[in-house]
């Protein structure tokens, strides 16, 4: 197998639909071992539309290049309440990636 699976977590802000289901936001990613490229992602946002949107934002980035570009992409394009939680979960995922 040429990929790894990593998860990042962050607290959700109050008043969100996902907060009634989960206490934390989780972003999971399948990452190519050799190049660090995000192959696919999933997250625990409440709607499938939001989950697909986040995947479109993150797919294709190489974590070997750091986390700044995908975090910037989230700031620029995701304008929902969970924006800060998405950033935090992505940074946590990156910390897990750095450990390997």
């Amino acid at each position: 197998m040429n990929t790894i699976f990593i998860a990042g977590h962050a607290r959700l802000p109050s008043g969100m639909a996902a907060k009634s289901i989960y206490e934390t936001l989780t972003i999971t990613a399948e990452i190519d071992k050799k190049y660090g490229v995000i192959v696919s992602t999933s997250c625990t946002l409440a709607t499938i539309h939001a989950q697909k949107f986040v995947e479109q934002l993150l797919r294709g980035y190489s974590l070997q290049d750091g986390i700044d570009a995908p975090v910037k992409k989230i700031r620029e394009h995701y304008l929902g309440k969970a924006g800060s939680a998405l950033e935090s979960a992505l940074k946590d995922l990156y910390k897990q990636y750095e450990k390997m």
Side-chain angles (χ1 to χ4, degrees):
M1 184 158 227
N2 297 325
T3 59
I4 56 172
F5 185 84
I6 300 177
H9 308 277
R11 286 204 177 274
L12 281 167
S14 60
M16 292 195 58
K19 179 91 173 175
S20 65
I21 303 168
Y22 309 105
E23 283 297 311
T24 59
L25 175 85
T26 300
I27 296 177
T28 59
E30 181 180 1
I31 300 167
D32 176 82
K33 282 185 191 179
K34 186 172 183 179
Y35 300 106
V37 173
I38 298 172
V39 176
S40 66
T41 67
S42 181
C43 67
T44 56
L45 290 173
T47 66
I48 293 171
H49 191 198
Q51 294 167 12
K52 287 181 180 180
F53 187 78
V54 170
E55 176 160 19
Q56 288 175 350
L57 286 177
L58 300 179
R59 188 179 331 129
Y61 280 102
S62 173
L63 296 180
Q64 291 179 0
D65 296 331
I67 199 67
D68 293 339
V71 167
K72 182 179 178 190
K73 196 76 143 177
I74 287 174
R75 280 189 193 136
E76 291 174 351
H77 296 279
Y78 184 91
L79 305 178
K81 269 188 159 182
S84 294
L86 282 168
E87 288 181 37
S88 294
L90 185 56
K91 288 176 183 177
D92 185 51
L93 184 143
Y94 182 68
K95 284 180 191 175
Q96 303 305 317
Y97 173 76
E98 286 184 308
K99 289 179 184 178
M100 61 158 254

